[in-house]
Amino acid sequence: MNQSAEELNKVEKKDLFTSGHRACGGCGQALAARLVQDASGENTIACVATGCLEVFSSPYPDPSWRIPFLHSLFENASAVASGVEAAYKALKKGPVNIIAQGGDGSTADIGFQSISGMFERGHNVLYVCYDNEAYMNTGVQRSSFTPLGARTSTTPMGNKTRKKNMPLIAANHGIPYVATATVDDFRDLQRKVKTALSIEGPKYIHILAPCPLGWGHHGELTVEICRLAKDTGLFPIYEIVDGKMTNVKKIPVKVPVQEYLKLQGRFSHLFKKGGSPEIIAEIQQIANQNIERYNL
Amino acid sequence: MLKQIEGSHAVAEVVAKCRPNVISAYPITPQTHIVEELANIVGQGKLDAEYVNVESEFSAASVVLGASAAGARAYSATTSQGLLLMSEVIYCIAGMRLPIVFTIANRAISAPLSIWNDQQDSMALRDSGWIQLHAEDNQEAADLHIQAFKIAEETNLPIMVCMDGFILTHAFEPVDTPDQKEVDNFLPPFRPTNIVDPRWPRGIGLFADPRFYMETRYILHRAMEKSEETIKKVSEDFKKAFGRDSGGFIKTYKLEAADVVIISMGSVVGTIKDLIDQLEEEGKKVGLLQICSYRPFPRKEIYNTLKDKMNIVVVEKSISLGRGGILASDVRWSFPRAEKKDRNISSFIAGLGGRNITKNDLRYMVEKVEKEPVELEFLGLNKELISEKDL
């Protein structure tokens, strides 16, 4: 479907993902999930992986979903969504928006094979990843999205590896649409969801979703932290349409990574006496590489 | 129409006539000929279905889960390691009450790797809430699929149709594959009641806290028990419609006068019947009780049928390591302990990893239990391959 620029840029509020769920105050994922479902509208089936989102929004008998919600396991949301899509094709039903959604683990770790299969087979499904950079549901353990230096309950001395670059991995499957987004920019996030759903084939949107509990920041700073993630260059915002990178969001005033790191308890050990200035320098280097690579 | 056909192709033909909407599978020996033939049938346009080639058995099971939850009649086939890889999804499908049908081309489990037949794979998933039906021959394997879709959709329970790998899947036998009209008359279109559809938004797969979880398992258990009636009725209806006795709960052979009763399931039943005929000529009275539905387990039938039989021997192609025969335990539990303490139920493990079960093996087994009960014995074990230090 072709949508006008006005329609694409309209902020949608339909309460399809309703209040009353059990997310923490300031939860980036809850905010992102609401924005995604409201952008996609009523004609949507949500295939959700096990994780924080599923647990805080779908306890029987009080789910927060006003659209069809399908959950089975942690690592198979993409394959389940593939099956839903196959059924709609076979039964000649639809069109319908099918959105597989999950966190770090279901996207990049335990569910990696399943998502790769869904991309490769070309199912008409949007996958939305809510990236909160660790296994938050089980108590803040490291994932392959955990950034360098971040303290988690399984990297108590700080994570020693860099974050897996899932959007580029998705793009390299040759899928028609990939985008990154953050929860501070409602309009941008929802425009990307609407754009993705207007394209036939597999789509991937990677949303940075700060977790106050796991990141150790005050709930009211979720939006601010997203802005800093962008303005430091640590989380580049862009779209990849048919393999071409486009709409790269320029950073108006570049901010040193310390400004982002120091708001979060998970990085506090880097700043303490006898801390790790070399790790901070390496994180700055990652930001600089991003700024150069993506021309931020 | 009766034709000489490979077991896998007979199953594929019949599955196609059940008009599944979505098929998803990952290749694994000895299931491959089934899914290859289905791919052919779909590819040639003879069946209007989505055939989803996936990257693992885990995804195959997940694809049919999603498809079924969206209202499709869904089918897959697997075996051995593939089934074990699926096991998390297998439990989930049953818990979500999705009426999916699988063919299990029964095969041994690693390690050591073995592509050959036994029944350890489906046995490993016996507690998952799936109905498990075991075919004796290829005619029954084919027929059971038609029945399985009907039973599954009437009970909202998933079904594994188990057929011995290679012994049945790769055997050419005459099989009567019914024509499309006959199958359509027997099996009505799938009318699901609980699906994801934006017209009726609902959640499928919500999580249950301790206030609710146990009731879901109780309801599932009761549904499994109650499915006995549906399995029997569908088998009777099948007989009326197709004129063949296929499936059901249990079957018996020369049981009435039998002094020794053999209990087993799957293709070895054919060999056992041959032996029973031979022994009859020699003046020995041996009978057979064949398990057709392993889950739900025919406890009452076994008890009612065998309550006067004092010498029973169970021969099976699987084992609970550290415990013994799995089917044998189920059979022993079918008789009240207090009653007839002198009833002997012997247990033999046979045919693991494709070891042939010969009539001579079975004759030895019968002669042994005629003399004394056997707590547990491996049939046809080559003692030369086992040294003292292995034990």
Side-chain angles (χ1 to χ4, degrees):
Chain A
M1 66 191 136
N2 286 320
Q3 295 168 87
S4 66
E6 197 185 342
E7 282 169 329
L8 280 173
N9 286 318
K10 190 175 155 229
V11 174
E12 311 283 351
K13 182 145 178 23
K14 296 176 177 158
D15 281 332
L16 297 177
F17 181 79
T18 61
S19 56
H21 54 69
R22 290 142 168 86
C24 310
C27 172
Q29 191 181 25
L31 180 53
R34 178 165 71 75
L35 293 169
V36 168
Q37 318 317 321
D38 282 356
S40 69
E42 289 86 351
N43 188 32
T44 303
I45 296 171
C47 299
V48 178
T50 308
C52 262
L53 173 63
E54 173 261 333
V55 168
F56 71 66
S57 72
S58 77
Y60 175 82
D62 311 311
S64 300
W65 299 78
R66 291 176 55 217
I67 55 171
F69 166 92
L70 180 58
H71 159 255
S72 73
L73 296 164
F74 190 8
E75 64 274 53
N76 69 353
S78 312
V80 169
S82 303
V84 172
E85 186 246 22
Y88 266 71
K89 260 196 205 165
L91 300 169
K92 293 161 186 72
K93 283 170 68 172
V96 64
N97 302 321
I98 301 167
I99 308 184
Q101 33 201 316
D104 311 16
S106 52
T107 307
D109 293 342
I110 196 168
F112 190 63
Q113 174 177 316
S114 171
I115 194 172
S116 178
M118 184 193 85
F119 287 158
E120 167 270 317
R121 291 189 299 270
H123 292 279
N124 187 23
V125 171
L126 165 62
Y127 190 100
V128 174
C129 168
Y130 304 107
D131 171 14
N132 54 22
E133 301 192 326
Y135 288 93
M136 299 316 187
N137 185 43
T138 42
V140 200
Q141 295 85 12
R142 177 201 178 273
S143 79
S144 63
F145 284 168
T146 301
L148 181 72
R151 193 172 55 215
T152 70
S153 55
T154 51
T155 54
M157 313 309 280
N159 187 39
K160 291 189 166 42
T161 54
R162 294 183 177 199
K163 183 173 176 173
K164 189 187 272 188
N165 193 330
M166 192 65 197
L168 293 192
I169 292 170
N172 277 313
H173 282 76
I175 65 174
Y177 186 79
V178 171
T180 62
T182 54
V183 293
D184 63 300
D185 191 341
F186 291 15
R187 197 176 306 280
D188 180 66
L189 190 156
Q190 290 199 323
R191 181 183 64 78
K192 285 169 176 167
V193 172
K194 286 185 260 185
T195 304
L197 292 172
S198 72
I199 296 168
E200 183 78 17
K203 288 82 60 172
Y204 178 74
I205 299 181
H206 189 113
I207 302 174
L208 187 70
C211 169
L213 186 75
W215 294 14
H217 63 81
H218 290 289
E220 71 268 23
L221 291 179
T222 292
V223 163
E224 179 62 20
I225 280 175
C226 282
R227 287 187 187 137
L228 287 168
K230 292 188 286 191
D231 291 346
T232 51
L234 286 172
F235 193 83
I237 298 295
Y238 56 83
E239 289 168 276
I240 300 174
V241 181
D242 292 327
K244 288 208 176 69
M245 190 163 295
T246 175
N247 283 334
V248 178
K249 190 172 165 54
K250 294 278 182 190
I251 303 174
V253 182
K254 291 181 181 61
V255 177
V257 294
Q258 283 92 333
E259 301 300 308
Y260 172 73
L261 302 176
K262 71 187 183 191
L263 292 179
Q264 304 172 47
R266 62 177 173 157
F267 295 114
S268 61
H269 58 288
L270 302 178
F271 295 96
K272 280 185 184 145
K273 209 176 164 192
S276 311
E278 72 286 359
I279 298 288
I280 298 174
E282 198 180 335
I283 297 170
Q284 184 61 59
Q285 199 195 343
I286 293 169
N288 294 346
Q289 283 168 351
N290 282 346
I291 289 166
E292 199 180 333
R293 180 178 193 177
Y294 298 93
N295 194 19
L296 301 174
Chain B
M1 189 183 68
L2 202 63
K3 57 181 172 186
Q4 189 76 6
I5 186 172
E6 195 198 45
S8 295
H9 285 196
V11 165
E13 262 189 38
V14 165
V15 166
K17 284 172 182 161
C18 295
R19 301 184 190 274
N21 307 111
V22 175
I23 299 167
S24 184
Y26 187 78
I28 179 168
T29 305
Q31 149 266 37
T32 43
H33 292 183
I34 301 172
V35 296
E36 287 167 1
E37 183 60 13
L38 276 165
N40 267 332
I41 293 169
V42 175
Q44 290 165 7
K46 292 178 190 160
L47 170 67
D48 183 15
E50 287 295 310
Y51 188 101
V52 187
N53 278 305
V54 281
E55 81 298 333
S56 70
E57 284 92 355
F58 197 92
S59 282
S62 302
V63 164
V64 293
L65 182 156
S68 182
R73 181 174 284 167
Y75 169 84
S76 187
T78 191
T79 175
S80 182
Q81 308 308 123
L83 182 61
L84 291 202
L85 182 61
M86 287 176 172
S87 58
E88 194 189 359
V89 193
I90 290 291
Y91 268 78
C92 205
I93 286 171
M96 294 169 83
R97 303 296 299 271
L98 299 171
I100 294 168
V101 172
F102 273 41
T103 308
I104 307 299
N106 283 112
R107 171 184 142 180
I109 296 286
S110 288
L113 188 146
S114 166
I115 59 164
W116 292 278
N117 164 247
D118 64 36
Q119 294 167 351
Q120 192 73 49
D121 50 0
S122 56
M123 269 298 180
L125 274 304
R126 67 186 182 274
D127 303 327
S128 60
W130 283 59
I131 292 173
Q132 295 189 340
L133 306 175
H134 277 264
E136 175 188 344
D137 55 25
N138 285 340
Q139 183 66 63
E140 190 165 52
D143 294 347
L144 280 177
H145 283 86
I146 306 173
Q147 298 182 35
F149 280 104
K150 193 163 187 172
I151 298 162
E153 288 164 16
E154 282 185 19
T155 57
N156 283 327
L157 291 167
I159 300 190
M160 295 180 197
V161 177
C162 303
M163 62 192 293
D164 285 325
F166 288 115
I167 298 170
L168 295 184
T169 55
H170 287 54
F172 282 75
E173 282 182 343
V175 175
D176 183 359
T177 54
D179 65 37
Q180 185 64 61
K181 205 162 163 249
E182 286 178 289
V183 180
D184 287 345
N185 285 341
F186 185 77
L187 179 67
F190 182 32
R191 298 261 182 259
T193 49
N194 192 26
I195 58 168
V196 282
D197 187 320
R199 286 173 292 178
W200 311 284
R202 68 174 80 201
I204 300 183
L206 307 186
F207 87 80
D209 70 27
R211 290 174 298 165
F212 304 111
Y213 182 87
M214 208 153 113
E215 284 70 20
T216 69
R217 306 310 283 177
Y218 174 75
I219 291 166
L220 185 53
H221 175 62
R222 288 302 301 272
M224 281 292 285
E225 287 187 330
K226 245 182 80 186
S227 70
E228 171 183 345
E229 294 157 28
T230 315
I231 294 168
K232 285 178 180 167
K233 186 179 176 301
V234 168
S235 159
E236 279 155 24
D237 291 348
F238 186 89
K239 191 176 176 181
K240 275 182 220 145
F242 295 88
R244 275 194 300 277
D245 214 353
S246 269
F249 226 45
I250 60 163
K251 282 187 211 154
T252 59
Y253 187 71
K254 300 192 174 171
L255 199 61
E256 251 169 49
D259 299 319
V260 176
V261 177
I262 303 173
I263 298 185
S264 198
M265 57 189 190
S267 61
V268 72
V269 158
T271 317
I272 294 172
K273 285 188 208 167
D274 272 2
L275 175 74
I276 288 172
D277 292 347
Q278 263 183 26
L279 293 173
E280 191 179 36
E281 283 170 26
E282 296 165 24
K284 273 189 189 171
K285 290 173 189 157
V286 179
L288 165 76
L289 187 146
Q290 175 189 352
I291 310 280
C292 305
S293 166
Y294 177 61
R295 285 290 183 270
F297 190 71
R299 183 177 74 150
K300 279 185 222 136
E301 270 70 11
I302 290 174
Y303 175 70
N304 290 335
T305 313
L306 303 183
K307 57 176 179 275
D308 300 322
K309 301 295 179 189
M310 303 307 285
N311 200 352
I312 296 166
V313 53
V314 180
V315 54
E316 64 187 295
K317 293 178 175 178
S318 57
I319 180 166
S320 171
L321 300 170
R323 170 68 176 81
I326 305 170
L327 180 57
S329 324
D330 287 334
V331 169
R332 282 171 178 153
W333 157 86
S334 302
F335 297 93
R337 199 160 256 291
E339 189 197 273
K340 294 189 181 165
K341 287 205 174 104
D342 50 347
R343 174 183 284 121
N344 292 322
I345 300 173
S346 299
S347 171
F348 282 80
I349 309 297
L352 297 189
R355 180 75 47 95
N356 282 336
I357 307 175
T358 65
K359 267 192 278 187
N360 272 346
D361 294 331
L362 296 167
R363 176 186 285 271
Y364 158 84
M365 178 183 83
V366 170
E367 286 168 0
K368 182 119 193 224
V369 300
E370 279 173 338
K371 284 185 231 121
E372 56 182 4
V374 176
E375 178 67 27
L376 177 68
E377 185 171 332
F378 282 62
L379 203 56
L381 204 60
N382 183 354
K383 298 238 167 73
E384 283 175 21
L385 289 175
I386 305 163
S387 69
E388 273 304 311
K389 68 176 173 23
D390 292 330
L391 299 170

